[in-house]
Amino acid sequence: MRDVTPDVPAPHRRSFLKYTGALGAAAAVSASLSACSSGPESTNDTGTGGGRDRTLTAVIGYGNDGSWDPTQTASAFCMAANHHIYEGLLDTDPISREPYAALATEVPENPDSTSWTFALRAGATFHDGKPVTADDVVFVFERILDPDTQTLAKGFFASWLKEVRKIDARNVELVLKFPFPDGLSRLTLAKIMPRHVFSKPGAWDEAIKGKAIGSGPYRQTAHHPKSNTTFEAFDGYNGPRKPAFRKMNWLTIVDAAPRVAKISGSSAGAQIADNIPYANIGQLESGGMTVAGGAGMNNLFLMFNTRHKPFDDPRVRQALHYAIDTGKMVEVALKGHGKPSSSFLDEANPSYRRAKTVYDYDPGKAKALLKEAGVKGLSIDIVAVNVSWIVDCLPTIKASWDAIEVKTTLSPQETTAVFTKLDQKQDYQVVAAASNPNQFGLDADLIMHYNYGPGNLWMQYTRWASDPVARQLFKDMDRATREPDPAKKKTMVQDYIDVVAEQAVLYPVVHNELMTAWNPELLSGIRAQPYPGINLLQAKWA
């Protein structure tokens, strides 16, 4: 998972690594946080005793050592945890993404207005006992909208949100630049944080490292990077999603085999796990587990360095996409749990339309395009992240490119290493990696700006933002954002996605399902989500 701040200058390397989660591997939580930790020190402490006080143990297939700052993070583990620790004015259903009142008392009746007024929930307090006030709301939004502070969240708000004003201690007004109904669901991405904690010098660095104090149903009790994070029900919570588990212990196990083993058999040490390998579905189901998938934007994408010839030529990029036997990739690597991409968006997205350019497997067309571009004897080294399912897909890409006489080598590496090299502006030819903007939302404007924009990091990686086609694309995207008519806006988005498909600078090869497994004899209310992590706000003991 990578995160990008659309339409704003790229932050310096350290800031980028912080909010992508790449820097967190070396970061330890503060001494003060460790001192007040009351959770289990061992990942084997699952608290499996009976009664309501038993511990819910979850296995997350992503690292817990990324940034925990809600305004910065795209870490799957940290984002999932933050949804349990913090609240937005509005939060959203994890599947439908429909907004509901969280810290605010109600959803605005008129989403087309350019002024939304919110009253804060009476009696809402942070985990340290201090009341939640309008000052805390203004504090968070001022950080997000500050032109001198580059955060990931800025890309989700700055284009349409003008300012946030305090009316009185319990009421705030959001002033919009133009009507933007999609903004309501985005408010869940602005988690309200205590001003009295995070306005102190160095506090944002502590947030990155793992310090988390919110007003949500669960409070963080311990955080051990690369091991586990623990939670406890917050007795002072008076909001709409009551905690069902007295304690939770979330383990981070990135490697597939030990992750599956942790939830397998009669002595399983966990009740739920995400990121289940397709090859293990039958094994887990035969052992009594429920395994369910969520299909969405999760994808393997190819990203080309357009400053490295011949990848400046769109015919070459197209040829390499046409050459990939995506049907074989879905069958062999994904075990049928995916589809070849027919648009940048997945087929379930409300704004989906089959693109004018679809890269159905056509090696003959691939060869013809390379010949037309005057390219022969091409050798490519694919730099890839070592996410397990991506690694499974790489042999199909190599075999497909070798078949059209493009000599191909594979270089899978730690995700951190890949993106550190990119951020350092090191040369490369092609990157293969995974992405899923659905963790931020479903609206196409958000998804497309996550990857494309004149100042965002993805476009800096591709070295494409100055291309005349790119400049026009960014203008078309901005016009679509401002279009008030939903039907017209949808068509405008679909039209510029056709340009993205034709250019194939950064484009998905396949969209695949993410699988979650849980013990139905112990847990109920679980819904598999189409993006990494878990959401237990409506789950309970069976």
Side-chain angles (χ1 to χ4, degrees), residues 261-283:
K262 196 70 177 179
I263 59 168
S264 300
S266 58
S267 59
Q271 297 88 36
I272 183 171
D274 77 341
N275 198 17
I276 298 298
Y278 305 124
N280 296 107
I281 293 174
Q283 166 203 341

Short mmCIF file of all heavy atoms in Angstrom, two decimals, residues 261-283:
data_model
loop_
_atom_site.label_atom_id
_atom_site.label_comp_id
_atom_site.label_asym_id
_atom_site.label_seq_id
_atom_site.Cartn_x
_atom_site.Cartn_y
_atom_site.Cartn_z
N ALA A 261 -1.16 -20.23 10.25
CA ALA A 261 -1.01 -21.17 11.37
C ALA A 261 -1.63 -20.63 12.65
O ALA A 261 -2.17 -21.40 13.46
CB ALA A 261 0.47 -21.47 11.59
N LYS A 262 -1.59 -19.30 12.82
CA LYS A 262 -2.10 -18.70 14.07
C LYS A 262 -3.60 -18.85 14.23
O LYS A 262 -4.13 -18.80 15.35
CB LYS A 262 -1.72 -17.21 14.09
CG LYS A 262 -1.83 -16.57 15.46
CD LYS A 262 -0.76 -17.07 16.40
CE LYS A 262 -0.81 -16.38 17.75
NZ LYS A 262 0.22 -16.88 18.68
N ILE A 263 -4.32 -19.04 13.13
CA ILE A 263 -5.78 -19.21 13.24
C ILE A 263 -6.23 -20.62 12.87
O ILE A 263 -7.42 -20.87 12.68
CB ILE A 263 -6.52 -18.18 12.35
CG1 ILE A 263 -6.12 -18.34 10.87
CG2 ILE A 263 -6.26 -16.76 12.81
CD1 ILE A 263 -7.03 -17.57 9.93
N SER A 264 -5.29 -21.54 12.77
CA SER A 264 -5.61 -22.90 12.31
C SER A 264 -5.64 -23.88 13.48
O SER A 264 -4.89 -23.75 14.44
CB SER A 264 -4.57 -23.37 11.28
OG SER A 264 -4.54 -22.53 10.16
N GLY A 265 -6.50 -24.87 13.35
CA GLY A 265 -6.50 -25.99 14.27
C GLY A 265 -7.20 -25.72 15.58
O GLY A 265 -7.64 -24.60 15.87
N SER A 266 -7.28 -26.76 16.40
CA SER A 266 -7.99 -26.67 17.67
C SER A 266 -7.29 -25.77 18.68
O SER A 266 -7.93 -25.28 19.61
CB SER A 266 -8.15 -28.08 18.27
OG SER A 266 -6.87 -28.68 18.45
N SER A 267 -6.00 -25.54 18.49
CA SER A 267 -5.26 -24.69 19.42
C SER A 267 -4.98 -23.32 18.82
O SER A 267 -3.99 -22.67 19.19
CB SER A 267 -3.94 -25.37 19.80
OG SER A 267 -3.14 -25.60 18.64
N ALA A 268 -5.84 -22.86 17.92
CA ALA A 268 -5.64 -21.57 17.27
C ALA A 268 -5.49 -20.46 18.30
O ALA A 268 -6.24 -20.40 19.28
CB ALA A 268 -6.82 -21.27 16.34
N GLY A 269 -4.54 -19.57 18.07
CA GLY A 269 -4.30 -18.48 19.00
C GLY A 269 -4.99 -17.19 18.64
O GLY A 269 -4.78 -16.17 19.28
N ALA A 270 -5.81 -17.20 17.58
CA ALA A 270 -6.53 -16.00 17.17
C ALA A 270 -7.87 -16.40 16.59
O ALA A 270 -8.07 -17.54 16.14
CB ALA A 270 -5.72 -15.22 16.14
N GLN A 271 -8.80 -15.46 16.59
CA GLN A 271 -10.15 -15.73 16.11
C GLN A 271 -10.43 -15.18 14.71
O GLN A 271 -11.40 -15.54 14.07
CB GLN A 271 -11.20 -15.16 17.08
CG GLN A 271 -11.17 -15.76 18.47
CD GLN A 271 -10.21 -15.03 19.40
OE1 GLN A 271 -10.05 -13.82 19.33
NE2 GLN A 271 -9.54 -15.79 20.26
N ILE A 272 -9.57 -14.27 14.24
CA ILE A 272 -9.80 -13.64 12.94
C ILE A 272 -8.46 -13.23 12.34
O ILE A 272 -7.53 -12.86 13.07
CB ILE A 272 -10.74 -12.41 13.06
CG1 ILE A 272 -11.04 -11.81 11.67
CG2 ILE A 272 -10.18 -11.37 14.02
CD1 ILE A 272 -12.13 -10.74 11.70
N ALA A 273 -8.37 -13.31 11.01
CA ALA A 273 -7.16 -12.86 10.30
C ALA A 273 -7.54 -12.34 8.93
O ALA A 273 -8.47 -12.84 8.29
CB ALA A 273 -6.15 -14.01 10.17
N ASP A 274 -6.82 -11.32 8.49
CA ASP A 274 -7.03 -10.82 7.13
C ASP A 274 -5.90 -11.30 6.23
O ASP A 274 -5.01 -12.03 6.65
CB ASP A 274 -7.15 -9.29 7.12
CG ASP A 274 -5.81 -8.58 7.26
OD1 ASP A 274 -4.84 -9.20 7.72
OD2 ASP A 274 -5.73 -7.38 6.92
N ASN A 275 -5.96 -10.90 4.95
CA ASN A 275 -4.91 -11.21 3.98
C ASN A 275 -4.62 -12.71 3.90
O ASN A 275 -3.47 -13.15 3.93
CB ASN A 275 -3.63 -10.44 4.32
CG ASN A 275 -2.66 -10.36 3.16
OD1 ASN A 275 -3.02 -10.58 2.01
ND2 ASN A 275 -1.41 -10.05 3.45
N ILE A 276 -5.68 -13.50 3.75
CA ILE A 276 -5.55 -14.95 3.69
C ILE A 276 -5.12 -15.37 2.28
O ILE A 276 -5.75 -14.99 1.29
CB ILE A 276 -6.89 -15.63 4.03
CG1 ILE A 276 -7.30 -15.28 5.47
CG2 ILE A 276 -6.81 -17.14 3.85
CD1 ILE A 276 -6.32 -15.75 6.53
N PRO A 277 -4.05 -16.16 2.15
CA PRO A 277 -3.64 -16.64 0.82
C PRO A 277 -4.72 -17.53 0.21
O PRO A 277 -5.36 -18.32 0.91
CB PRO A 277 -2.36 -17.44 1.12
CG PRO A 277 -1.87 -16.92 2.43
CD PRO A 277 -3.10 -16.57 3.21
N TYR A 278 -4.88 -17.42 -1.08
CA TYR A 278 -5.91 -18.20 -1.77
C TYR A 278 -5.68 -19.70 -1.59
O TYR A 278 -6.64 -20.47 -1.46
CB TYR A 278 -5.94 -17.84 -3.25
CG TYR A 278 -6.11 -16.37 -3.52
CD1 TYR A 278 -5.19 -15.67 -4.30
CD2 TYR A 278 -7.19 -15.67 -3.00
CE1 TYR A 278 -5.34 -14.32 -4.55
CE2 TYR A 278 -7.35 -14.31 -3.24
CZ TYR A 278 -6.41 -13.64 -4.01
OH TYR A 278 -6.56 -12.30 -4.25
N ALA A 279 -4.44 -20.11 -1.55
CA ALA A 279 -4.12 -21.53 -1.45
C ALA A 279 -4.55 -22.13 -0.12
O ALA A 279 -4.65 -23.36 0.00
CB ALA A 279 -2.61 -21.73 -1.64
N ASN A 280 -4.80 -21.30 0.89
CA ASN A 280 -5.16 -21.80 2.21
C ASN A 280 -6.66 -21.75 2.51
O ASN A 280 -7.10 -22.12 3.61
CB ASN A 280 -4.42 -21.02 3.30
CG ASN A 280 -2.93 -21.20 3.23
OD1 ASN A 280 -2.19 -20.30 2.83
ND2 ASN A 280 -2.46 -22.39 3.62
N ILE A 281 -7.45 -21.29 1.55
CA ILE A 281 -8.88 -21.14 1.80
C ILE A 281 -9.53 -22.48 2.14
O ILE A 281 -10.25 -22.61 3.15
CB ILE A 281 -9.59 -20.51 0.58
CG1 ILE A 281 -9.11 -19.06 0.39
CG2 ILE A 281 -11.10 -20.54 0.75
CD1 ILE A 281 -9.64 -18.41 -0.87
N GLY A 282 -9.28 -23.50 1.32
CA GLY A 282 -9.88 -24.82 1.56
C GLY A 282 -9.48 -25.40 2.89
O GLY A 282 -10.32 -25.97 3.62
N GLN A 283 -8.21 -25.28 3.25
CA GLN A 283 -7.72 -25.80 4.52
C GLN A 283 -8.45 -25.16 5.69
O GLN A 283 -8.88 -25.85 6.63
CB GLN A 283 -6.22 -25.50 4.63
CG GLN A 283 -5.63 -25.67 6.02
CD GLN A 283 -4.35 -24.87 6.21
OE1 GLN A 283 -3.71 -24.47 5.24
NE2 GLN A 283 -3.98 -24.62 7.47
#
